[in-house]
Amino acid sequence: MFSKACEYGIKAAIFIAVNSSENNRVSPKEISEEIDSPQAFTAKILQALVKNNVIKSVRGAYGGFEIDKDKIATIKLAQIVYAIDGDGIYNGCGLGLHTCNENHPCPVHDKFKVVREELRDMLENTTLDQLASDIKSGVSFLKI
Amino acid sequence: MFSKACEYGIKAAIFIAVNSSENNRVSPKEISEEIDSPQAFTAKILQALVKNNVIKSVRGAYGGFEIDKDKIATIKLAQIVYAIDGDGIYNGCGLGLHTCNENHPCPVHDKFKVVREELRDMLENTTLDQLASDIKSGVSFLKI
DNA sequence: TTTATTTCGGATAAATTTATCCTATTTATA
DNA sequence: TATAAATAGGATAAATTTATCCGAAATAAA
Ligand code: FES
Ligand code: FES
């Protein structure tokens, strides 16, 4: 469904959100340990999230990654997926036609569209703070 | 969402269904032309569908691929996806945890499960003859 | 039985995604 | 200002997916 990069990106963002809510800046090392991902690869994905203004990086000693506390509740899963995997999952044709087009639909268009839009709604209505709070309360998990 | 292989497999199966309903056997060459896919790669995918009893192959002169006419209405999209991409899309965790587990859920488990099950229902309730009939009537398209 | 046709299957190559490594740049503190 | 710590970013490698090639096996028809 999502690329590995996107999976790592989502989990990393949640972990950063959890820590930022406690005024704690985190490093790629901590992140990759907590979400069980390759460190250098994860660092690259973090850079993409920084460029897309999903997270903030602070360079130099005592630096790390963080998210403005008051921004955590406004960041949607959709932004993360878009930053890393692009918009193919929303707009692309399920059977790989060049474009998904109502007027030139592939055989599964009508049925696929429903699923795709449910996925989009889900991603656009899920914020980082919702996901972070379940991690904090031990209801959900970032690895294993 | 689906792999390229799976996209080709679905489109190929639909094209074969269309032709078999008219007692017409087709070759990988015709198939790949009609669904706009690489021929040799498509042939490999057809072999997988044959092994999984989705389609039938007839070797030698005047051979080709076909589907038993009375079987076309019983073949579900789910069987094709399963034969090529496996069951990851149904059972796998959206964030890549080793297994999707109610008792050890990832942060998006509850929300992702809904989308995943809608996708599964769609695939399990869509048969080849439904898709083939839209192609025959010119309502849907296999390429461009 | 020979020939032409066609799928099967293994080997290989190209492209993309995933992953690692190393150096440059930035920054807080001593 | 010097030093240590940390992200940025380019180069490269490994793994996976996508794609191609070619000979073997099967089959219908001449
Ligand atoms: S045309 Fe294929 S999903 Fe819309
Ligand atoms: S545990 Fe991640 S989707 Fe169920």
Side-chain angles (χ1 to χ4, degrees), chain B residues 40-102:
Chain B
F41 188 49
T42 306
K44 289 263 187 274
I45 297 158
L46 293 171
Q47 286 180 39
L49 293 180
V50 169
K51 270 197 183 146
N52 283 270
N53 295 309
V54 175
I55 63 178
K56 231 171 67 178
S57 71
V58 180
R59 294 172 74 155
Y62 293 81
F65 294 89
E66 63 185 22
I67 305 177
D68 289 344
K69 252 177 157 173
D70 57 3
K71 223 184 128 188
I72 296 175
T74 73
I75 298 175
K76 295 160 187 164
L77 230 37
Q79 294 172 253
I80 301 173
V81 173
Y82 183 80
I84 301 171
D85 279 353
D87 68 347
I89 207 162
Y90 302 130
N91 302 323
C93 168
L95 293 188
L97 300 200
H98 294 331
T99 60
C100 172
N101 180 349
E102 295 281 351

Side-chain angles (χ1 to χ4, degrees), chain A residues 93-94 100-101 105-106 109 112:
Chain A
C93 167
C100 172
N101 180 349
C106 74
H109 173 81
F112 185 76

